[in-house]
Amino acid sequence: MSNKIWINGKYFDKLDAKVSVYDHGFLYGDGVFEGIRIYSGKVFKHKEHIDRLYESAKAIALTIPMSPPEMMQVVENAVAENKKVDGYIRLVVSRGAGNLGIDPRRCEPVVIVIVDDISLYPAELYESGLEVITSSYIRNHPNATNPRVKSLNYLNNVLAKIEATRAGCLEAIMLNHKGEVAECTADNLFIVKNGVLKTPPPDAGILEGVTRNFVIDLAEKAGIPFKEATLTRHDVYIADEMFLTGTGAEVIAVTKVDERVLGTGKQGPITKRLRELFTAGVRA
């Protein structure tokens, strides 16, 4: 069955879903998006994702042509239209079609809802763990496009991903403009040292992930000591455990960074525990 893509009020088959070549999302990466999971027929953390979408849009002065409750209903309807029980939603709001200049005043926003499947990493790596590198590409400076905006312009992440794959890895750590650890190309990161769970704070140049916040909540409820902390590569290299979180990735261990084996070289006990809590929690 072909996916049904929702574009500004109408459904289109996947092969017929199109936007203008004059769309500023295509021409300039001008827009925002969210990636959202579907578990057991329910949209996971729906309100949190929609809230972040509207915050990102506000930050780039993009007016979304419907209210948050209306947007949530559109997403729910698209999931039902596609009869998707477990899957992934890509919700995109582009500035829309204008002229070839960058002035967006003539643009009319375009809203797109794609319901499909996603798999970022091979299943076996969820047991053995990922090997990652540190990228030479940094996260955006907060006075450029703030990393807290989930914009359509992911070029620095894409370049870091290319660098990782050329090094034989599937993911890369990105530093901020101060040389501190920020996040990976598509995931937030956590480390464990001496039983304490740590992750960079929002002002380290990260996207404040919905899955990140859910895992923090799970850890605190499970009594796992936790704190947001500024991290350097040194902190990562000497960590007992490391794992990544994200809508696509969910929770996945990292066992080697820049050729340095972390801990025992296997998924650690706190990572395993949080993976189990996550799997149970998303279907609760």
Side-chain angles (χ1 to χ4, degrees):
M1 183 181 70
S2 175
N3 296 67
K4 297 294 184 181
I5 314 300
W6 191 94
I7 303 177
N8 275 12
K10 297 180 180 179
Y11 286 102
F12 299 86
D13 288 337
K14 183 176 182 178
L15 295 178
D16 297 323
K18 299 175 176 66
V19 295
S20 170
V21 293
Y22 286 85
D23 191 292
H24 279 212
F26 169 71
L27 291 174
Y28 303 114
D30 186 0
V32 295
F33 78 98
E34 283 292 317
I36 313 171
R37 280 278 189 172
I38 308 160
Y39 293 109
S40 301
K42 296 182 179 180
V43 181
F44 179 65
K45 295 291 182 182
H46 197 176
K47 184 178 185 303
E48 288 86 342
H49 279 288
I50 297 301
D51 287 346
R52 188 173 66 179
L53 179 79
Y54 278 78
E55 288 173 359
S56 292
K58 185 175 183 179
I60 67 167
L62 170 58
T63 301
I64 298 176
M66 64 182 74
S67 68
E70 289 171 335
M71 181 70 80
M72 291 180 73
Q73 190 59 60
V74 165
V75 171
E76 296 281 358
N77 291 347
V79 172
E81 179 72 19
N82 284 276
K83 299 179 174 60
K84 186 65 71 174
V85 177
D86 291 288
Y88 177 82
I89 302 158
R90 174 59 57 87
L91 174 56
V92 179
V93 183
S94 167
R95 189 81 64 176
N99 55 32
L100 291 177
I102 66 171
D103 188 340
R105 286 178 293 177
R106 293 185 180 180
C107 296
E108 293 292 334
V110 174
V111 179
I112 303 169
V113 183
I114 304 168
V115 180
D116 209 330
D117 298 307
I118 193 170
S119 178
L120 288 191
Y121 306 116
E124 61 270 18
L125 291 181
Y126 283 84
E127 293 301 325
S128 61
L130 288 171
E131 177 180 354
V132 306
I133 62 165
T134 302
S135 175
S136 63
Y137 295 98
I138 67 168
R139 291 298 283 125
N140 285 338
H141 192 287
N143 287 331
T145 303
N146 196 304
R148 296 177 74 178
V149 175
K150 196 170 179 68
S151 82
L152 296 182
N153 195 319
Y154 253 47
L155 188 56
N156 68 335
N157 301 59
V158 170
L159 292 171
K161 182 75 168 184
I162 291 170
E163 190 174 32
T165 56
R166 286 179 173 174
C169 299
L170 294 178
E171 188 53 288
I173 296 171
M174 301 181 74
L175 308 179
N176 63 22
H177 63 287
K178 295 185 286 186
E180 302 161 348
V181 171
E183 59 186 354
C184 291
T185 68
D187 308 311
N188 293 118
L189 67 84
F190 290 77
I191 66 168
V192 177
K193 184 65 178 179
N194 298 326
V196 179
L197 181 66
K198 301 178 184 179
T199 195
D203 63 7
I206 70 167
L207 178 72
E208 194 170 352
V210 171
T211 304
R212 168 190 182 272
N213 291 342
F214 182 59
V215 168
I216 290 170
D217 186 52
L218 290 174
E220 291 178 337
K221 288 179 179 177
I224 298 170
F226 164 77
K227 64 179 180 179
E228 290 184 336
T230 299
L231 302 176
T232 66
R233 278 179 285 184
H234 177 77
D235 297 306
V236 172
Y237 293 159
I238 66 170
D240 300 322
E241 301 179 41
M242 177 177 166
F243 63 88
L244 311 181
T245 64
T247 295
E250 300 181 309
V251 178
I252 186 167
V254 173
T255 52
K256 185 184 286 188
V257 180
D258 294 336
E259 298 295 330
R260 295 160 173 84
V261 175
L262 302 186
T264 63
K266 299 179 181 179
Q267 177 180 237
I270 290 179
T271 302
K272 185 175 185 294
R273 175 65 174 147
L274 287 170
R275 274 192 62 206
E276 291 169 347
L277 290 171
F278 176 86
T279 301
V282 296
R283 299 184 183 279

